[in-house]
Amino acid sequence: MRRPRHGSLFACAGLLAVTALGCARSADRAASDRSTLTILYGGDERVLGAEGRAYYTPAQFLVFLPLVTQSAEGELEPRLARSWEHSPDHRTWTVRLRTDVRWHDGEPVTAHDVRFTMDLLRHPDILVEAPGAYSLEVLDDSTFTVTYHQKSTYGLPASWGSIYNAIYPKHLLEGLEPGEFWDWDFWTRPVGNGPYRYVRHEPQTMVELEANPDYYRGRPRIDRVVLKFGSSWVPELLSGGVDAAAYVDRMQLPALDGDPRFEVYHDILSTSVTALAWNHRRHFFRDARVRRALTLAIDRRELHRALNLPADLPIFDVIFTDRQFRRGGLPAPLAYDPQEAVRLLEAAGWRNVDGDGVRERAGEAFRFALLVSGGLQRRAAVFIQNQLRELGVQIEVIERENHSQRVRNGEFDAAILPIFPGGGLGHDVLFGAESVLGYDNPAVVRLLGQAAGTLDPDEIDRAYRELMPIFEAELPVTSLHPDVRTTVAHRRVRGLSSPHRAEPAWHVDDMWIDSPR
């Protein structure tokens, strides 16, 4: 998903003035317009479908249903799918759909819509899914089977990956050109099957939706939803112009400190972890003692505070599956211990010989460049730069737009980057047989291969459990924090929660607006 743009702070004096104005406006909105929820959202009027080149946007679930969704407790919850079962090897799935769901034009939703959607996403002109990933058979209007020949980009029909998959109407889209998929006008005037119906939009400005009276779960408690596009979330919230803002820059949260009108929610993305990756081709980082020393010298809990991340954000030194993260029990991380870091560096031959504050070995100073892409990564890099300077290690922070490609080409000493289980800079790319980090461990290659070769979540978890002690010992990367998506909402907006229901547009059918007091 493409991350929305974030706004910037006003000057302090301006905020005080806006705050005073906002108290009155917010009270008026609560009293006279409590049936409408206005959300400040990044992007434009295409967020209800395929936005630009990004297939997945959470706002699409205002108008489209997925097969399953995530409950407030973090478990799978049925939506369009009412039940499912799978073969022992998890490769063939049978899914039974609800029969009481209709498109907003009155047509019934059937398994033929599911097949159309899944075929569409693997069309050669779209390729959200690999063309040979699976075969699908419709058994009847409410039942279909899928047999997977390889891992699917977005997951199995009733798995965690499928919470990101909306189902589209075959009868309205089958005549359109797949080659123009990303530019279809349909995305700006969608006809869905979800809790809200499209009403109107103003380009680059807003989209208005109304509650679907025929929604199978019952008419939503919030009558209307307005997605207002922009990035000035602080003044919009303080002035009462919006009730909630999604994808907020947490470094701007102090602007709301002490304001009792607002609540902050966060969604922890366990499958996207920001880490400090070491290039093992550089002699500095070939020694596991050095990587451990550098990890011990970074106070990651203090880093979280410096980045204004949630106080209870987890820290870990291993890679894991989403299921393992949700169920807990991951190994405890290394604690901040600069004294042990000094001992390890000196044992590895890195000492401050001439008293200039920089460690040396064989006449070479311990200096390296740290590659970042900007924003939060740059702020983290400056924090790490200061901490490692105290250890006698000097860092030059370098910001590049082609950050990921430079990592793939091995053109870096160390880099701050997001790590995913698959795709992009995923586990296999970073730690596998052709590791872009130059990391070489046959046992890790074997276990990652076992995980990639099965669809059985128990077998995948087993492989990752065996990987954990290897990562604890070798620390090929230093994990900094899981990525976090943040929402700020007025306290009268109810139904949001951390860490599974923080995205306001995703679960509006489970939300409501309290009466003013």
Side-chain angles (χ1 to χ4, degrees):
M1 171 183 168
R2 189 174 71 193
R3 287 183 181 250
R5 300 178 296 274
H6 303 300
S8 59
L9 289 174
F10 277 4
C12 292
L15 284 177
L16 291 173
V18 171
T19 302
L21 176 63
C23 292
R25 288 187 179 175
S26 293
D28 290 343
R29 280 176 54 82
S32 64
D33 201 21
R34 61 178 297 270
S35 64
T36 296
L37 174 67
T38 301
I39 306 171
L40 189 67
Y41 216 79
D44 57 32
E45 63 274 13
R46 303 181 68 83
V47 298
L48 300 180
E51 182 188 12
R53 304 300 292 182
Y55 160 63
Y56 162 67
T57 62
Q60 68 182 324
F61 300 117
L62 285 163
V63 292
F64 296 108
L65 284 176
L67 291 169
V68 294
T69 192
Q70 188 176 29
S71 73
E73 293 73 36
E75 300 299 327
L76 284 183
E77 186 175 280
R79 279 298 182 265
L80 185 55
R82 59 181 172 86
S83 66
W84 52 86
E85 58 193 38
H86 56 75
S87 61
D89 63 1
H90 288 252
R91 290 194 175 273
T92 298
W93 291 66
T94 301
V95 181
R96 294 171 181 81
L97 305 179
R98 301 189 62 89
T99 57
D100 54 351
V101 180
R102 292 185 175 273
W103 297 105
H104 295 159
D105 63 0
E107 290 293 315
V109 178
T110 72
H112 300 284
D113 295 304
V114 177
R115 174 166 187 164
F116 168 78
T117 299
M118 296 181 75
D119 286 348
L120 178 68
L121 297 182
R122 56 184 176 154
H123 188 280
D125 291 332
I126 300 173
L127 292 182
V128 171
E129 295 274 18
Y134 53 78
S135 54
L136 187 149
E137 181 182 1
V138 173
L139 303 184
D140 57 46
D141 281 354
S142 62
T143 313
F144 67 93
T145 63
V146 177
T147 299
Y148 283 85
H149 311 299
Q150 63 189 61
K151 284 198 172 179
S152 168
T153 304
Y154 281 93
L156 304 175
S159 70
W160 286 100
S162 64
I163 69 174
Y164 304 107
N165 282 31
I167 302 303
Y168 301 133
K170 175 183 177 181
H171 68 289
L172 296 177
L173 300 181
E174 62 182 338
L176 302 183
E177 283 294 329
E180 300 172 3
F181 173 81
W182 306 103
D183 299 315
W184 285 348
D185 287 340
F186 177 81
W187 305 129
T188 64
R189 297 174 176 82
V191 176
N193 54 8
Y196 287 87
R197 304 186 301 196
Y198 169 83
V199 175
R200 67 186 182 96
H201 76 272
E202 295 179 11
Q204 306 293 319
T205 304
M206 58 81 73
V207 168
E208 182 180 352
L209 308 169
E210 65 181 1
N212 177 11
D214 299 321
Y215 186 41
Y216 83 92
R217 300 181 71 205
R219 182 186 177 93
R221 284 175 282 186
I222 296 174
D223 292 332
R224 306 183 84 76
V225 175
V226 174
L227 297 180
K228 189 174 182 179
F229 305 119
S231 56
S232 300
W233 67 268
V234 171
E236 287 280 13
L237 282 167
L238 293 175
S239 69
V242 298
D243 303 296
Y247 306 102
V248 167
D249 183 347
R250 293 190 68 93
M251 294 302 290
Q252 298 183 21
L253 289 180
L256 301 181
D257 280 354
D259 193 321
R261 293 175 295 164
F262 302 108
E263 186 78 28
V264 178
Y265 304 92
H266 58 265
D267 184 10
I268 298 175
L269 305 182
S270 62
T271 55
S272 177
V273 176
T274 293
L276 182 49
W278 314 108
N279 189 340
H280 294 240
R281 300 178 187 89
R282 306 293 194 261
H283 66 87
F284 297 116
F285 309 124
R286 290 174 189 158
D287 191 333
R289 292 174 297 178
V290 172
R291 300 193 298 271
R292 178 173 291 268
L294 298 177
T295 302
L296 288 166
I298 301 170
D299 187 343
R300 289 178 282 182
R301 187 60 65 199
E302 185 61 31
L303 171 65
H304 294 178
R305 285 190 284 269
L307 299 179
N308 211 22
L309 294 171
D312 58 350
L313 200 62
I315 301 172
F316 26 72
D317 293 320
V318 298
I319 57 175
F320 46 83
T321 67
D322 180 68
R323 190 167 75 156
Q324 288 169 331
F325 178 83
R326 286 185 285 104
R327 293 181 176 181
L330 296 179
L334 289 176
Y336 174 56
D337 191 343
Q339 289 76 29
E340 177 64 7
V342 168
R343 189 192 69 78
L344 287 170
L345 281 185
E346 293 192 348
W350 292 100
R351 297 180 175 87
N352 183 10
V353 177
D354 54 13
D356 65 352
V358 181
R359 294 185 178 274
E360 301 174 350
R361 188 177 67 180
E364 182 181 12
F366 201 147
R367 294 188 177 95
F368 66 90
L370 178 55
L371 184 65
V372 301
S373 64
L376 201 66
Q377 288 188 11
R378 167 167 280 281
R379 293 194 284 267
V382 171
F383 178 91
I384 293 167
Q385 181 186 50
N386 291 333
Q387 290 221 301
L388 295 190
R389 183 185 296 119
E390 296 179 7
L391 189 66
V393 176
Q394 288 197 337
I395 296 177
E396 178 187 6
V397 178
I398 299 176
E399 185 173 335
R400 294 287 185 270
E401 290 184 359
N402 59 345
H403 164 269
S404 295
Q405 191 57 49
R406 289 173 69 92
V407 172
R408 287 180 175 277
N409 294 339
E411 300 170 357
F412 71 104
D413 295 333
I416 296 179
L417 48 82
I419 294 177
F420 307 96
L425 292 171
H427 295 170
D428 186 62
V429 171
L430 293 174
F431 313 118
E434 299 180 2
S435 166
V436 299
L437 304 181
Y439 176 63
D440 183 13
N441 186 317
V444 171
V445 173
R446 175 179 57 81
L447 289 167
L448 287 175
Q450 289 176 6
T454 181
L455 295 176
D456 185 335
D458 292 333
E459 285 300 304
I460 296 171
D461 283 353
R462 180 199 57 76
Y464 272 82
R465 279 195 301 273
E466 292 188 37
L467 284 166
M468 288 179 188
I470 300 175
F471 272 69
E472 285 184 290
E474 297 196 348
L475 294 171
V477 299
T478 297
S479 295
L480 300 177
H481 60 82
D483 288 348
V484 176
R485 291 175 183 163
T486 300
T487 290
V488 178
H490 197 285
R491 288 184 183 274
R492 68 173 174 270
V493 177
R494 312 300 294 171
L496 294 171
S497 61
S498 302
H500 304 299
R501 286 284 177 90
E503 216 286 0
W506 199 339
H507 303 288
V508 176
D509 52 329
D510 286 315
M511 294 166 57
W512 68 98
I513 300 176
D514 271 351
S515 300
R517 296 182 180 180

